[in-house]
Amino acid sequence: WRLKEEAWRAFLQHPIAGVGLDRFHDVSQAAFEHGRLTTDYRAIDPHSTLLGRLAETGIIGGAALVLLWIGFAFTSARAVRGTTESWIATAAAAALIGLFVVSPNVDVMNFRFLWVAAGLITGIDRDQRSIGA
């Protein structure tokens, strides 16, 4: 919870563009030096997808992340509808939903299987649209 508080504090201090990509370690180090984090958390990632993006990239990165997830949702919905690969699309969409659910507690953007699932969904969606065109 303290990491999330530090991420929120960093966002409030730098709301437009954040503290910079991959600079949350500076935030956690400063929090450690001020006694807000223990030694185990002195140089660590924010452990929250949205709060981490807000801390590192501000409202610009936070908005981009929200738009990305909205894109995942719309593309997944299109891909799941009536195709021979619908079971693959459904499984990939379920994986994306699961990752979205855990994203407040884990920075899932670095998970390879997130991008594999997004690639499957996108490929199936494009294949369906090219066949229907």
Side-chain angles (χ1 to χ4, degrees), residues 10 15 21 26 31 39 41 46 54 63-64 66 86 88 98 103 107 110 112 125 128-129:
L21 284 175
D26 297 340
T39 304
Y41 298 101
L54 289 171
V66 169
S86 65
I88 297 172
S103 70
D107 188 359
N110 294 319
R112 286 186 188 116
D125 179 52
Q128 274 184 240
R129 287 190 291 152

Side-chain angles (χ1 to χ4, degrees), residues 28-40:
S28 63
Q29 179 66 37
F32 167 75
E33 290 170 4
H34 288 96
R36 294 190 306 266
L37 292 176
T38 62
T39 304
D40 294 340

Side-chain angles (χ1 to χ4, degrees), residues 7-20 51 53-63:
W8 183 248
R9 181 176 288 137
F11 168 65
L12 292 177
Q13 290 172 353
H14 306 278
I16 303 299
V19 296
L51 288 175
R53 286 306 154 262
L54 289 171
E56 290 187 345
T57 61
I59 197 73
I60 296 167

Side-chain angles (χ1 to χ4, degrees), residues 1-12 18-19 24 27 45-59 61-62 65-66 103-107:
W1 181 252
R2 288 184 183 151
L3 288 172
K4 291 168 183 54
E5 289 176 334
E6 292 304 321
W8 183 248
R9 181 176 288 137
F11 168 65
L12 292 177
V19 296
F24 190 77
V27 171
D45 292 330
H47 284 81
S48 173
T49 300
L50 182 59
L51 288 175
R53 286 306 154 262
L54 289 171
E56 290 187 345
T57 61
I59 197 73
L65 177 68
V66 169
S103 70
N105 294 312
V106 181
D107 188 359

